[in-house]
Every structure is written in structure tokens, then in C-alpha cells.
Amino acid sequence: MTIRVMLVDDQVLLRTGFRMVLAAQPDMEVVAEAGDGVEALQVLRSTPVDVVLMDVRMPKLDGVEATRRICAEPDPPKVLILTTFDLDEYAFSGLKAGASGFMLKDVPPADLLGAIRAVHSGDAVVAPSTTRRLLDRFAPMLPATGKEPQHKELERLTDREREVMVLVAQGLSNGEIAARLVLSEATVKTHVGRILTKLSLRDRVQVVVLAYETGLVRAGGHG
């Protein structure tokens, strides 16, 4: 199955570079391009796309707001934010807007391709190191909460699901969580699926954001 990719960046040279990398892949095809968020939204109305590679800083409409509008549509494509700026507020804003991942533009091509495939398959792409650094620095700006998480929906989780959610929020993969909790990876995947369903979350990125916002996980990466 070919992954249909859209490139959204105001720098033509960068789009050309990304297009060359993707064109060499047998399972990917660049089906659309746009130079700003407004153009991206217009193109998406008539072009089926699976994954959008989204720049952050663009004229007319920035990548964060474009991502928010795209993800508000029914059955939207996945959005992977690519930026030159390793700034936490952009990453956090992009993830809250609905992006399934956040990467820097100087990421090695193999990592970018892996991220596109992961996002397309329904996973979220935020490297654990990025997750921890991003949220540890951003956490002081989140609403202060008491000892117990304030999100009523969290009460729906079993103790094990809450345990898994904390580890997801710390940036661990399913395999790492399975090793930590001495479970099979399939069992962990089931727990993650139930967490997403019970909390009406789209993917692991939203799990991370919610865990920090509610105080389930605190700055420093500890529950």
C-alpha cells in the first residue's frame, strides 16, 4: 500500500529535498505540496492524503493552526510536524493541535521515513528523549494540580491501565513497557488501546499531553 504524502513548507528547496528522498521509496508517493497553511487546507479538499509533513513557521497560516484545522476535519490525514526550531512551545502546541509526531528537519532520512511509516500505521512519533525534554521544560507552564489527577475520565482506568499510561507518558515504547511490567507486547498494546478508547484520545501523543496536564506524570518524568 502506497503512503500518500503531502509536503507543506514555504521553502521550495526543502520541499524538493524531501520529495527526492520520498520518491526513492517504493511505498511512498508525494501527491501534493503547499507553501503555507492556507494553501495546504485548499489542496486537501480535493486531494486524498495519508500523511502531511508540516512546517511550523509559514506565512498566512502557521503550521500549528493549519494542523488544528486539518485534525478537526472528519477522517483527517496524519500530521507529522517538521521544524528547524527545537523550541518546546512549538512542539507542545503542535501536539495539542492534533499532530501525531514532531521531528526536526535535520533528522536523518532513514528516521524521517520510519516516522512517516509509523504515523501512517497509527503510531505516534515523538522520540522519548524529545518527549521528556519537551514536557519537563513545559510542565511548569501547565495548570497546577493537586496530588491526584483532576481529569475525571482517568477514574475509568484500571490500576494496570494507569500504570501503562504513566510509562507511555514517559516516552517508553510498547516493547519497553512490556519489559518493565513483565507483560507480552500484545498485552501492552491491548492496554494502550483501552486507554485511548476510555479517554477518547486519538493516539499516544494525546496520552502524553493528558498525563502531564492532569498531573498523572510530573516534571522529571515520574508518576
Side-chain angles (χ1 to χ4, degrees):
M1 180 179 175
T2 301
I3 302 172
R4 299 166 296 189
V5 180
M6 178 180 189
L7 305 176
V8 184
D9 196 302
D10 60 337
Q11 297 184 51
V12 177
L13 195 58
L14 274 172
R15 294 206 309 266
T16 301
F18 285 137
R19 186 169 65 245
M20 288 174 65
V21 171
L22 300 183
Q25 304 305 306
D27 60 339
M28 294 183 194
E29 179 186 2
V30 175
V31 295
E33 294 186 31
D36 59 64
V38 172
E39 186 183 357
L41 292 168
Q42 291 172 342
V43 172
L44 281 170
R45 291 193 187 104
S46 58
T47 308
V49 172
D50 298 312
V51 177
V52 178
L53 294 190
M54 179 74 75
D55 186 23
V56 173
R57 288 189 174 181
M58 296 181 294
K60 297 183 182 177
L61 190 68
D62 67 46
V64 173
E65 181 57 30
T67 296
R68 185 176 291 111
R69 295 188 192 182
I70 289 170
C71 293
E73 292 291 321
D75 195 25
K78 305 288 186 181
V79 178
L80 182 58
I81 289 183
L82 290 171
T83 179
T84 313
F85 305 95
D86 192 6
L87 297 175
D88 299 319
E89 58 267 31
Y90 284 120
F92 193 79
S93 298
L95 299 180
K96 279 193 64 94
S100 294
F102 168 85
M103 302 190 83
L104 296 180
K105 287 181 180 176
D106 60 2
V107 65
D111 289 357
L112 173 62
L113 297 170
I116 292 171
R117 293 185 181 105
V119 164
H120 179 251
S121 70
D123 211 343
V125 180
V126 182
S129 59
T130 305
T131 303
R132 295 190 188 105
R133 182 180 50 73
L134 159 67
L135 291 167
D136 287 350
R137 285 185 58 190
F138 203 86
M141 299 173 69
L142 295 175
T145 61
K147 180 66 179 169
E148 280 301 306
Q150 299 300 306
H151 199 274
K152 280 285 186 187
E153 311 300 330
L154 294 182
E155 295 172 4
R156 297 179 184 173
L157 302 182
T158 64
D159 289 344
R160 175 63 90 188
E161 287 164 354
R162 190 176 284 225
E163 199 174 5
V164 170
M165 183 172 176
V166 167
L167 295 177
V168 168
Q170 291 174 2
L172 273 65
S173 67
N174 285 354
E176 291 167 336
I177 294 171
R180 179 81 64 90
L181 300 181
V182 196
L183 299 169
S184 72
E185 199 165 334
T187 299
V188 172
K189 194 169 184 180
T190 299
H191 283 312
V192 172
R194 286 179 181 153
I195 291 166
L196 295 177
T197 300
K198 287 183 178 181
L199 301 182
S200 300
L201 301 175
R202 191 191 60 252
D203 57 31
R204 296 169 78 96
V205 169
Q206 293 192 337
V207 172
V208 173
V209 172
L210 181 63
Y212 275 79
E213 283 187 323
T214 58
L216 183 64
V217 171
R218 302 198 172 280
H222 303 293

